[in-house]
Amino acid sequence: MRISIILSVLLISITSQSIAVERDQTRSTKPKVEQQLQQEIQAISTAWQAPAGLRQIPLWPHGAPDMPKRDYPAESTQMMTPPSVALHRNYTQVLDVTQPTMTIYPPKTPNTGAAIVVFPGGGFRILAIDLEGTEICDWVTAQGMTCVLLKYRVPKGNHYWDKDCRCHIMPKVPLALQDAQRTIRLVRAQAKELHIDSNKIGVIGFSAGGYLVAQTSNIFKSSYRAIDAADQLSSRPDFAIALYPGHLCRAGDKLDPSLPVTKQTTPTFLLQAWDDPVDKICNSTVYAKALSDAGVNSEVHLFAKGGHAFGLRNNSHPISTWPKLVENWLRELDVLPATPAKID
């Protein structure tokens, strides 16, 4: 129990004094836990910045809309020990994002004209900005696609777990959805400048980011008041990829009723492991059924093992083949060019 309390404290990034108190409480009885925590808090820094040479663009020219009037902690990052299915190096968490941005990664191979917006996960508490963000963009750009990494507002910017009431809360204003819709519109507005096809703009999301995938694929009405010409464009992605999504499966294993799945819903690729310890498999199965019932072009892969938050890192299970599965699906959608025929 003490271990889970300490980890929860870390995830919401409270003051270093509080962390020190927790350490003191644990040191006498849990020396191994103390050592692990020291390894996890390897660095705490200022706001996350894009790698050198890349464009990081603010989404909102006059500040993000609908922010509650209160003092906010400064954005920061910290290094954390990864889950067992994504070992070998730590990953970066971004905390307390109030100024969302999008970072443009140009294709590394001949440009296919397609683009993918990446929604990192983190339970709408933090953002796993490299594990489910920058590393994903490395794969996307290697396929000849432009990658757009969204740093959306956290915490509490969408459906989240509240530790005090031990319940899920849906905020009245979904700030993360606002950021996601705005990003898709901005990418569409800049299609000519980015050398992309405005009809080949997709999204990929992980865990909580998978929920943003489903929201943008079904909620086409703007969640914010228009501020410029870009907001007159569609926020519907042309294709959607959700890996180990969360927040979709609600009480009674029913699909979130706020998602109006219809035949207009974006073609979707779903993938998850049955042994996912964080988000139940019903997050994929109930959404897959809704897509099927509505006649939406979709592809679903459910694996026996794989866990949660593996991203693109080494995973000993067959689920690690997911990038190739996605690439094949994108070829069938004509997003990526067909594989050249082999000559004997």
Side-chain angles (χ1 to χ4, degrees):
M1 180 62 71
R2 289 184 178 182
I3 295 174
S4 62
I5 293 174
I6 293 172
L7 293 177
S8 296
V9 171
L10 286 174
L11 290 175
I12 61 173
S13 185
I14 65 173
T15 65
S16 59
Q17 180 180 1
S18 297
I19 295 174
V21 170
E22 292 290 342
R23 288 177 174 173
D24 289 339
Q25 292 174 345
T26 309
R27 185 175 289 112
S28 60
T29 57
K30 303 285 187 179
K32 291 184 179 180
V33 174
E34 169 66 15
Q35 182 180 8
Q36 179 184 3
L37 292 177
Q38 289 177 342
Q39 292 173 349
E40 288 179 345
I41 311 176
Q42 291 190 357
I44 297 178
S45 66
T46 55
W48 180 84
Q49 298 295 325
L54 298 178
R55 285 196 299 149
Q56 186 174 6
I57 306 167
L59 299 185
W60 310 97
H62 306 296
D66 299 311
M67 293 292 289
K69 294 182 179 180
R70 61 180 178 84
D71 293 331
Y72 291 92
E75 180 182 322
S76 62
T77 61
Q78 65 182 19
M79 300 300 294
M80 299 295 292
T81 299
S84 61
V85 291
L87 292 177
H88 308 302
R89 61 185 181 278
N90 291 346
Y91 74 99
T92 308
Q93 289 186 348
V94 183
L95 305 93
D96 301 309
V97 178
T98 56
Q99 299 179 23
T101 65
M102 67 179 193
T103 299
I104 310 297
Y105 291 71
K108 295 177 182 176
T109 57
N111 189 2
T112 64
I116 296 184
V117 179
V118 178
F119 304 143
F124 298 115
R125 293 175 292 103
I126 57 91
L127 299 178
I129 200 70
D130 48 9
L131 175 62
E132 297 169 345
T134 61
E135 295 172 17
I136 306 305
C137 278
D138 288 340
W139 163 69
V140 170
T141 55
Q143 309 310 314
M145 295 182 284
T146 298
C147 188
V148 181
L149 175 56
L150 172 60
K151 182 176 73 172
Y152 57 85
R153 281 172 281 177
V154 290
K156 302 180 181 181
N158 214 323
H159 184 260
Y160 68 95
W161 173 260
D162 186 275
K163 66 180 184 65
D164 294 325
C165 70
R166 297 191 61 80
C167 64
H168 281 97
I169 294 177
M170 184 67 184
K172 292 182 179 179
V173 180
L175 305 180
L177 175 59
Q178 290 181 339
D179 296 341
Q181 289 182 326
R182 173 71 174 170
T183 300
I184 296 169
R185 290 181 171 124
L186 285 175
V187 173
R188 190 156 273 132
Q190 298 176 27
K192 185 176 181 179
E193 175 188 347
L194 296 174
H195 305 290
I196 62 174
D197 184 337
S198 61
N199 295 313
K200 289 186 177 182
I201 300 172
V203 293
I204 184 171
F206 303 78
S207 194
Y211 183 57
L212 281 175
V213 166
Q215 284 186 312
T216 55
S217 297
N218 292 280
I219 301 173
F220 308 137
K221 181 179 179 181
S222 184
S223 58
Y224 60 91
R225 187 173 298 175
I227 61 172
D228 56 28
D231 290 326
Q232 306 306 316
L233 300 175
S234 171
S235 65
R236 177 188 179 274
D238 298 300
F239 56 93
I241 305 159
L243 274 71
Y244 43 91
H247 308 267
L248 292 168
C249 185
R250 301 297 172 87
D253 288 355
K254 302 294 185 181
L255 179 65
D256 172 12
S258 72
L259 296 175
V261 180
T262 67
K263 61 182 180 180
Q264 281 76 42
T265 296
T266 303
T268 301
F269 180 101
L270 278 170
L271 180 140
Q272 194 167 11
W274 284 93
D275 68 349
D276 189 324
V278 176
D279 291 318
K280 297 189 301 182
I281 195 70
C282 72
N283 284 282
S284 289
T285 56
V286 298
Y287 191 43
K289 184 179 186 306
L291 293 170
S292 176
D293 290 347
V296 178
N297 180 349
S298 56
E299 182 165 317
V300 181
H301 295 271
L302 304 177
F303 288 79
K305 295 182 179 181
H308 187 83
F310 42 83
L312 278 165
R313 298 191 179 181
N314 292 336
N315 186 314
S316 61
H317 305 294
I319 201 169
S320 64
T321 62
W322 72 261
K324 185 58 63 177
L325 296 174
V326 170
E327 292 164 27
N328 291 337
W329 180 69
L330 292 178
R331 289 189 179 94
E332 289 195 341
L333 292 181
D334 293 326
V335 172
L336 292 179
T339 303
K342 293 183 179 180
I343 301 176
D344 295 331

